[in-house]
Amino acid sequence: MTEGWDPAAAGVLELPSGRLVRGRGLSRPLPPGQLPQLGFYLTGRRPATVEWESRWVRWPDFRLPADRAAATEALREAWARSATERVELACDGGRGRTGTALACLAVLDGVPPEEVVGYVRERYDRCAVETPWQRRFVRRFG
């Protein structure tokens, strides 16, 4: 098993299973410490190239993923690989799309959909999952 994220580090969400996933905003500097082994970048435009394995999920700001089936597949991969790898999810600001994606991972990890927004807001960012349609997307995710 690979060395994971520091659970006390900013932006790291601990899921009920103990998996750790980092969320962050791409508009801010890369946090100090370990680099991700896999990143999922939730942006409307192709993100900058990084030195680790990455996936682009086309997801415009304040919206839902352009291809929901592809996004679901990517989020399932992120959840699966977070068991043994340092996985990060990021959008420009690190709140709406990132929070929505983290909430989807929490659903996969067993958090009930009707409780998951509160779970992510309490443990990651109080402004996570910004829009009504993002909240609805999470409630229907699974």
Side-chain angles (χ1 to χ4, degrees):
M1 184 166 171
T2 189
E3 187 178 332
W5 296 115
D6 174 358
V12 174
L13 175 68
E14 184 171 358
L15 297 170
S17 66
R19 294 170 196 233
L20 301 171
V21 181
R22 182 171 77 185
R24 74 178 178 101
L26 295 171
S27 61
R28 293 188 281 275
L30 187 65
Q34 296 176 304
L35 295 175
Q37 293 169 299
L38 175 61
F40 290 84
Y41 301 107
L42 321 166
T43 59
R45 295 184 186 160
R46 187 171 298 279
T49 302
V50 292
E51 59 187 82
W52 48 87
E53 185 180 354
S54 67
R55 308 269 187 283
W56 174 41
V57 177
R58 198 160 66 88
W59 193 330
D61 201 8
F62 296 105
R63 308 285 179 169
L64 296 177
D67 182 337
R68 292 182 194 172
T72 297
E73 183 178 319
L75 293 171
R76 287 182 184 282
E77 179 185 0
W79 177 79
R81 292 185 62 181
S82 70
T84 59
E85 297 176 67
R86 288 185 307 277
V87 173
E88 83 168 356
L89 303 174
C91 65
D92 296 325
R95 290 184 164 169
R97 293 167 285 179
T98 297
T100 300
L102 288 169
C104 290
L105 268 58
V107 168
L108 292 173
D109 209 61
V111 178
E114 61 276 2
E115 298 173 16
V116 77
V117 172
Y119 180 91
V120 172
R121 285 179 175 172
E122 180 181 318
R123 291 165 177 82
Y124 171 68
D125 187 297
R126 65 184 176 87
C127 298
V129 193
E130 295 175 312
T131 68
W133 39 92
Q134 289 172 343
R135 288 189 295 276
R136 187 170 46 249
F137 180 77
V138 169
R139 280 195 311 270
R140 295 178 179 170
F141 188 82

